[in-house]
Amino acid sequence: MNAINTLTKRLPGAGLLLSLLTVSLLSSCSRFNNDGSLATWGYVILALDVFVLFDIFRQDWGIGKKILWAAIVFFFPLGGLILYFLFAGRGKSST
């Protein structure tokens, strides 16, 4: 039952990221415009990545787990966001 509760708490964020992914794939195939500037949805992904990196280093995890999640988000910006929000286990109570 606890697993279902935690999954339902993560679904709105995952739905938002999935819709963002769908819109970004339908609107453009690249994060960059033809002149080399960052596309609009590229800014959105960049802002979400920065937010997630701050969130990772605020967690009370060990340094190894923090570095692992930061590397995943850094090397896979969109996929790392989705993986982090679905599988990071944020907000689990210790009691």
PDB file of all heavy atoms in Angstrom, residues 9-31:
ATOM      1  N   LYS A   9       1.921   9.937  -5.542  1.00  0.00           N
ATOM      2  CA  LYS A   9       2.458  11.270  -5.249  1.00  0.00           C
ATOM      3  C   LYS A   9       3.421  11.723  -6.333  1.00  0.00           C
ATOM      4  O   LYS A   9       3.596  12.907  -6.550  1.00  0.00           O
ATOM      5  CB  LYS A   9       3.168  11.276  -3.897  1.00  0.00           C
ATOM      6  CG  LYS A   9       2.216  11.165  -2.733  1.00  0.00           C
ATOM      7  CD  LYS A   9       2.976  11.148  -1.429  1.00  0.00           C
ATOM      8  CE  LYS A   9       2.012  10.937  -0.277  1.00  0.00           C
ATOM      9  NZ  LYS A   9       2.717  10.846   1.004  1.00  0.00           N
ATOM     10  N   ARG A  10       4.065  10.798  -7.025  1.00  0.00           N
ATOM     11  CA  ARG A  10       5.035  11.135  -8.068  1.00  0.00           C
ATOM     12  C   ARG A  10       4.394  11.288  -9.442  1.00  0.00           C
ATOM     13  O   ARG A  10       5.005  11.838 -10.346  1.00  0.00           O
ATOM     14  CB  ARG A  10       6.116  10.075  -8.156  1.00  0.00           C
ATOM     15  CG  ARG A  10       6.970  10.005  -6.938  1.00  0.00           C
ATOM     16  CD  ARG A  10       7.997   8.937  -7.090  1.00  0.00           C
ATOM     17  NE  ARG A  10       8.694   8.709  -5.835  1.00  0.00           N
ATOM     18  CZ  ARG A  10       9.510   7.716  -5.628  1.00  0.00           C
ATOM     19  NH1 ARG A  10       9.737   6.853  -6.576  1.00  0.00           N
ATOM     20  NH2 ARG A  10      10.106   7.573  -4.477  1.00  0.00           N
ATOM     21  N   LEU A  11       3.186  10.801  -9.625  1.00  0.00           N
ATOM     22  CA  LEU A  11       2.570  10.826 -10.943  1.00  0.00           C
ATOM     23  C   LEU A  11       2.349  12.225 -11.510  1.00  0.00           C
ATOM     24  O   LEU A  11       2.566  12.430 -12.705  1.00  0.00           O
ATOM     25  CB  LEU A  11       1.256  10.049 -10.926  1.00  0.00           C
ATOM     26  CG  LEU A  11       1.414   8.531 -11.002  1.00  0.00           C
ATOM     27  CD1 LEU A  11       0.062   7.856 -10.944  1.00  0.00           C
ATOM     28  CD2 LEU A  11       2.161   8.108 -12.238  1.00  0.00           C
ATOM     29  N   PRO A  12       1.922  13.228 -10.730  1.00  0.00           N
ATOM     30  CA  PRO A  12       1.751  14.557 -11.341  1.00  0.00           C
ATOM     31  C   PRO A  12       3.048  15.122 -11.915  1.00  0.00           C
ATOM     32  O   PRO A  12       3.052  15.675 -13.016  1.00  0.00           O
ATOM     33  CB  PRO A  12       1.240  15.421 -10.181  1.00  0.00           C
ATOM     34  CG  PRO A  12       0.605  14.463  -9.251  1.00  0.00           C
ATOM     35  CD  PRO A  12       1.403  13.198  -9.365  1.00  0.00           C
ATOM     36  N   GLY A  13       4.148  14.974 -11.206  1.00  0.00           N
ATOM     37  CA  GLY A  13       5.426  15.450 -11.725  1.00  0.00           C
ATOM     38  C   GLY A  13       5.860  14.687 -12.960  1.00  0.00           C
ATOM     39  O   GLY A  13       6.364  15.267 -13.926  1.00  0.00           O
ATOM     40  N   ALA A  14       5.659  13.382 -12.940  1.00  0.00           N
ATOM     41  CA  ALA A  14       6.025  12.566 -14.093  1.00  0.00           C
ATOM     42  C   ALA A  14       5.140  12.903 -15.290  1.00  0.00           C
ATOM     43  O   ALA A  14       5.607  12.947 -16.425  1.00  0.00           O
ATOM     44  CB  ALA A  14       5.910  11.083 -13.749  1.00  0.00           C
ATOM     45  N   GLY A  15       3.866  13.153 -15.041  1.00  0.00           N
ATOM     46  CA  GLY A  15       2.959  13.544 -16.119  1.00  0.00           C
ATOM     47  C   GLY A  15       3.359  14.863 -16.740  1.00  0.00           C
ATOM     48  O   GLY A  15       3.309  15.042 -17.959  1.00  0.00           O
ATOM     49  N   LEU A  16       3.774  15.807 -15.891  1.00  0.00           N
ATOM     50  CA  LEU A  16       4.231  17.097 -16.392  1.00  0.00           C
ATOM     51  C   LEU A  16       5.481  16.930 -17.244  1.00  0.00           C
ATOM     52  O   LEU A  16       5.592  17.497 -18.336  1.00  0.00           O
ATOM     53  CB  LEU A  16       4.518  18.044 -15.227  1.00  0.00           C
ATOM     54  CG  LEU A  16       5.099  19.405 -15.583  1.00  0.00           C
ATOM     55  CD1 LEU A  16       4.086  20.214 -16.372  1.00  0.00           C
ATOM     56  CD2 LEU A  16       5.515  20.133 -14.333  1.00  0.00           C
ATOM     57  N   LEU A  17       6.427  16.128 -16.772  1.00  0.00           N
ATOM     58  CA  LEU A  17       7.643  15.914 -17.549  1.00  0.00           C
ATOM     59  C   LEU A  17       7.360  15.163 -18.844  1.00  0.00           C
ATOM     60  O   LEU A  17       7.962  15.443 -19.876  1.00  0.00           O
ATOM     61  CB  LEU A  17       8.672  15.163 -16.716  1.00  0.00           C
ATOM     62  CG  LEU A  17       9.334  15.981 -15.607  1.00  0.00           C
ATOM     63  CD1 LEU A  17      10.223  15.096 -14.768  1.00  0.00           C
ATOM     64  CD2 LEU A  17      10.115  17.117 -16.195  1.00  0.00           C
ATOM     65  N   LEU A  18       6.450  14.210 -18.791  1.00  0.00           N
ATOM     66  CA  LEU A  18       6.099  13.460 -19.997  1.00  0.00           C
ATOM     67  C   LEU A  18       5.424  14.367 -21.024  1.00  0.00           C
ATOM     68  O   LEU A  18       5.701  14.267 -22.220  1.00  0.00           O
ATOM     69  CB  LEU A  18       5.195  12.289 -19.632  1.00  0.00           C
ATOM     70  CG  LEU A  18       5.351  11.022 -20.428  1.00  0.00           C
ATOM     71  CD1 LEU A  18       6.794  10.574 -20.475  1.00  0.00           C
ATOM     72  CD2 LEU A  18       4.495   9.931 -19.858  1.00  0.00           C
ATOM     73  N   SER A  19       4.533  15.249 -20.569  1.00  0.00           N
ATOM     74  CA  SER A  19       3.899  16.176 -21.499  1.00  0.00           C
ATOM     75  C   SER A  19       4.912  17.162 -22.061  1.00  0.00           C
ATOM     76  O   SER A  19       4.860  17.528 -23.232  1.00  0.00           O
ATOM     77  CB  SER A  19       2.739  16.911 -20.825  1.00  0.00           C
ATOM     78  OG  SER A  19       3.222  17.696 -19.767  1.00  0.00           O
ATOM     79  N   LEU A  20       5.865  17.591 -21.231  1.00  0.00           N
ATOM     80  CA  LEU A  20       6.928  18.471 -21.704  1.00  0.00           C
ATOM     81  C   LEU A  20       7.775  17.767 -22.760  1.00  0.00           C
ATOM     82  O   LEU A  20       8.138  18.355 -23.772  1.00  0.00           O
ATOM     83  CB  LEU A  20       7.801  18.909 -20.534  1.00  0.00           C
ATOM     84  CG  LEU A  20       8.948  19.846 -20.843  1.00  0.00           C
ATOM     85  CD1 LEU A  20       8.419  21.189 -21.320  1.00  0.00           C
ATOM     86  CD2 LEU A  20       9.813  20.024 -19.623  1.00  0.00           C
ATOM     87  N   LEU A  21       8.066  16.502 -22.531  1.00  0.00           N
ATOM     88  CA  LEU A  21       8.821  15.719 -23.506  1.00  0.00           C
ATOM     89  C   LEU A  21       8.061  15.608 -24.819  1.00  0.00           C
ATOM     90  O   LEU A  21       8.628  15.781 -25.894  1.00  0.00           O
ATOM     91  CB  LEU A  21       9.109  14.326 -22.946  1.00  0.00           C
ATOM     92  CG  LEU A  21       9.742  13.319 -23.904  1.00  0.00           C
ATOM     93  CD1 LEU A  21      11.136  13.768 -24.286  1.00  0.00           C
ATOM     94  CD2 LEU A  21       9.776  11.954 -23.293  1.00  0.00           C
ATOM     95  N   THR A  22       6.769  15.334 -24.757  1.00  0.00           N
ATOM     96  CA  THR A  22       5.954  15.192 -25.960  1.00  0.00           C
ATOM     97  C   THR A  22       5.907  16.494 -26.745  1.00  0.00           C
ATOM     98  O   THR A  22       6.101  16.502 -27.964  1.00  0.00           O
ATOM     99  CB  THR A  22       4.532  14.749 -25.596  1.00  0.00           C
ATOM    100  OG1 THR A  22       4.605  13.547 -24.841  1.00  0.00           O
ATOM    101  CG2 THR A  22       3.688  14.533 -26.825  1.00  0.00           C
ATOM    102  N   VAL A  23       5.677  17.603 -26.042  1.00  0.00           N
ATOM    103  CA  VAL A  23       5.620  18.897 -26.717  1.00  0.00           C
ATOM    104  C   VAL A  23       6.965  19.236 -27.336  1.00  0.00           C
ATOM    105  O   VAL A  23       7.046  19.723 -28.458  1.00  0.00           O
ATOM    106  CB  VAL A  23       5.178  19.998 -25.725  1.00  0.00           C
ATOM    107  CG1 VAL A  23       5.397  21.385 -26.290  1.00  0.00           C
ATOM    108  CG2 VAL A  23       3.724  19.802 -25.350  1.00  0.00           C
ATOM    109  N   SER A  24       8.033  18.947 -26.613  1.00  0.00           N
ATOM    110  CA  SER A  24       9.356  19.284 -27.138  1.00  0.00           C
ATOM    111  C   SER A  24       9.707  18.443 -28.355  1.00  0.00           C
ATOM    112  O   SER A  24      10.333  18.942 -29.293  1.00  0.00           O
ATOM    113  CB  SER A  24      10.413  19.117 -26.051  1.00  0.00           C
ATOM    114  OG  SER A  24      10.518  17.768 -25.683  1.00  0.00           O
ATOM    115  N   LEU A  25       9.319  17.183 -28.354  1.00  0.00           N
ATOM    116  CA  LEU A  25       9.613  16.333 -29.506  1.00  0.00           C
ATOM    117  C   LEU A  25       8.773  16.710 -30.717  1.00  0.00           C
ATOM    118  O   LEU A  25       9.227  16.596 -31.851  1.00  0.00           O
ATOM    119  CB  LEU A  25       9.399  14.866 -29.159  1.00  0.00           C
ATOM    120  CG  LEU A  25      10.440  14.259 -28.228  1.00  0.00           C
ATOM    121  CD1 LEU A  25      10.061  12.825 -27.904  1.00  0.00           C
ATOM    122  CD2 LEU A  25      11.821  14.313 -28.844  1.00  0.00           C
ATOM    123  N   LEU A  26       7.540  17.173 -30.479  1.00  0.00           N
ATOM    124  CA  LEU A  26       6.692  17.554 -31.595  1.00  0.00           C
ATOM    125  C   LEU A  26       7.067  18.919 -32.161  1.00  0.00           C
ATOM    126  O   LEU A  26       6.860  19.183 -33.334  1.00  0.00           O
ATOM    127  CB  LEU A  26       5.219  17.564 -31.162  1.00  0.00           C
ATOM    128  CG  LEU A  26       4.629  16.195 -30.844  1.00  0.00           C
ATOM    129  CD1 LEU A  26       3.205  16.357 -30.339  1.00  0.00           C
ATOM    130  CD2 LEU A  26       4.660  15.301 -32.063  1.00  0.00           C
ATOM    131  N   SER A  27       7.619  19.800 -31.324  1.00  0.00           N
ATOM    132  CA  SER A  27       7.914  21.148 -31.784  1.00  0.00           C
ATOM    133  C   SER A  27       9.285  21.261 -32.436  1.00  0.00           C
ATOM    134  O   SER A  27       9.485  22.076 -33.314  1.00  0.00           O
ATOM    135  CB  SER A  27       7.805  22.138 -30.629  1.00  0.00           C
ATOM    136  OG  SER A  27       8.802  21.863 -29.677  1.00  0.00           O
ATOM    137  N   SER A  28      10.231  20.482 -31.969  1.00  0.00           N
ATOM    138  CA  SER A  28      11.588  20.618 -32.484  1.00  0.00           C
ATOM    139  C   SER A  28      12.357  19.340 -32.203  1.00  0.00           C
ATOM    140  O   SER A  28      12.091  18.642 -31.243  1.00  0.00           O
ATOM    141  CB  SER A  28      12.269  21.792 -31.791  1.00  0.00           C
ATOM    142  OG  SER A  28      13.616  21.847 -32.132  1.00  0.00           O
ATOM    143  N   CYS A  29      13.337  19.062 -33.007  1.00  0.00           N
ATOM    144  CA  CYS A  29      14.173  17.890 -32.789  1.00  0.00           C
ATOM    145  C   CYS A  29      15.466  18.247 -32.081  1.00  0.00           C
ATOM    146  O   CYS A  29      16.272  17.390 -31.791  1.00  0.00           O
ATOM    147  CB  CYS A  29      14.491  17.209 -34.120  1.00  0.00           C
ATOM    148  SG  CYS A  29      13.056  16.454 -34.867  1.00  0.00           S
ATOM    149  N   SER A  30      15.687  19.526 -31.814  1.00  0.00           N
ATOM    150  CA  SER A  30      16.930  19.959 -31.221  1.00  0.00           C
ATOM    151  C   SER A  30      16.655  20.974 -30.122  1.00  0.00           C
ATOM    152  O   SER A  30      15.658  21.680 -30.150  1.00  0.00           O
ATOM    153  CB  SER A  30      17.808  20.600 -32.289  1.00  0.00           C
ATOM    154  OG  SER A  30      18.958  21.152 -31.716  1.00  0.00           O
ATOM    155  N   ARG A  31      17.575  21.029 -29.157  1.00  0.00           N
ATOM    156  CA  ARG A  31      17.455  22.047 -28.126  1.00  0.00           C
ATOM    157  C   ARG A  31      17.932  23.396 -28.621  1.00  0.00           C
ATOM    158  O   ARG A  31      17.772  24.394 -27.948  1.00  0.00           O
ATOM    159  CB  ARG A  31      18.271  21.659 -26.886  1.00  0.00           C
ATOM    160  CG  ARG A  31      17.648  20.568 -26.084  1.00  0.00           C
ATOM    161  CD  ARG A  31      18.412  20.354 -24.822  1.00  0.00           C
ATOM    162  NE  ARG A  31      19.748  19.868 -25.146  1.00  0.00           N
ATOM    163  CZ  ARG A  31      20.742  19.837 -24.301  1.00  0.00           C
ATOM    164  NH1 ARG A  31      20.585  20.259 -23.090  1.00  0.00           N
ATOM    165  NH2 ARG A  31      21.917  19.378 -24.657  1.00  0.00           N
TER     166      ARG A  31
END
